[in-house]
């Protein structure tokens, strides 16, 4: 089975950002829980929560970007137990609705995060020492070939002996 990370179409950037979230309600006042975002992309977000949301649940998120509070409506795509905290869940959610102005801000913020993340990854790759190549012993192919040729010759001889005995 492929993991959610394998099916992603957009670049996700790890973030350490506080968010507030609440189950979406048409009527009534939402009750928000404060947690951390884990990563962000142009069409989704993953975050940590104590709530065990069901797949398909609509969630109202509040994220502060560039000192402005953005409100997002997301749909839970997946949920799993958190590796770090056994009493929490990691939730992946797809962006459903956002104000067009907020979307521009979010995309600008995401673009700057992606460029920082890409630059950071390039420097980390340069720092890694190159693997030493070890010389491998050449495989004795001649012996294998000789054995195969000998088997073929033996097989031909047995076939020709059978033909001679069947002619008599």
């Amino acid at each position: 089975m492929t993991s959610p990370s394998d099916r992603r179409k957009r670049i996700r950037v790890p973030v350490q950002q506080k968010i507030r979230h609440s189950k979406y309600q048409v009527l009534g006042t939402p009750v928000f829980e404060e947690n951390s975002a884990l990563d962000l992309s142009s069409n989704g977000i993953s975050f940590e929560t104590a709530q065990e949301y069901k797949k398909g649940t609509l969630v109202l998120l509040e994220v502060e970007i560039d000192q402005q509070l953005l409100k997002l409506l997301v749909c839970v795509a997946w949920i799993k137990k958190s590796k770090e905290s056994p009493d929490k869940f990691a939730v992946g959610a797809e962006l459903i609705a956002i104000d067009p102005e907020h979307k521009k801000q979010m995309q600008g913020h995401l673009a700057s995060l992606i460029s920082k993340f890409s630059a950071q990854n390039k420097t980390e790759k340069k720092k890694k020492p190159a693997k030493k190549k070890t010389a491998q012993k050449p495989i004795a192919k001649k012996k294998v070939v000789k054995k195969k040729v000998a088997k073929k010759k033996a097989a031909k001889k047995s076939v020709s002996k059978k033909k001679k005995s069947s002619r008599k």
Side-chain angles (χ1 to χ4, degrees):
M1 184 174 172
T2 57
S3 70
S5 62
D6 295 336
R7 293 188 303 258
R8 291 184 181 145
K9 294 177 183 156
R10 306 265 188 333
I11 296 172
R12 285 200 175 243
V13 181
V15 291
Q16 293 295 318
Q17 194 166 347
K18 293 289 179 197
I19 61 161
R20 291 173 15 118
H21 58 90
S22 173
K23 188 172 181 178
Y24 178 73
Q25 306 175 149
V26 177
L27 300 173
T29 306
V31 179
F32 284 97
E33 178 185 330
E34 192 170 298
N35 284 103
S36 295
L38 301 173
D39 63 32
L40 182 66
S41 79
S42 62
N43 68 336
I45 187 168
S46 68
F47 58 95
E48 200 171 56
T49 178
Q51 291 278 351
E52 190 173 359
Y53 290 117
K54 301 235 183 291
K55 189 175 176 179
T57 303
L58 293 178
V59 177
L60 182 61
L61 287 178
E62 290 183 345
V63 181
E64 190 174 314
I65 294 178
D66 299 330
Q67 299 175 339
Q68 185 171 353
L69 191 65
L70 307 182
K71 293 187 179 189
L72 318 169
L73 182 62
V74 297
C75 179
V76 174
W78 55 264
I79 185 165
K80 60 184 175 183
K81 282 274 192 189
S82 173
K83 293 176 184 173
E84 290 79 31
S85 307
D87 59 329
K88 291 195 175 190
F89 298 91
V91 176
E94 183 181 358
L95 186 61
I96 300 296
I98 184 172
D99 178 84
E101 277 301 309
H102 289 177
K103 187 168 187 165
K104 283 180 189 175
Q105 263 189 295
M106 188 174 133
Q107 287 175 335
H109 179 69
L110 186 60
S112 69
L113 287 174
I114 288 171
S115 64
K116 285 178 190 175
F117 183 68
S118 297
Q120 197 175 29
N121 277 351
K122 285 180 184 176
T123 57
E124 285 176 8
K125 285 181 182 177
K126 287 180 182 177
K127 288 180 183 178
K128 289 183 181 178
K131 290 183 180 179
K132 291 182 180 178
K133 292 185 179 179
T134 56
Q136 293 180 348
K137 293 181 180 178
I139 300 170
K141 291 183 180 179
K142 289 182 180 178
K143 288 182 180 179
V144 175
V145 172
K146 285 180 181 178
K147 285 181 181 178
K148 286 182 181 179
V149 171
K151 283 183 181 179
K152 285 182 182 178
K153 285 182 180 178
K156 284 182 181 179
K157 284 182 181 178
S158 65
V159 170
S160 63
K161 283 181 183 178
K162 285 181 183 177
K163 284 183 181 179
K164 286 180 182 178
S165 64
S166 64
R167 287 182 192 165
K168 294 179 181 180

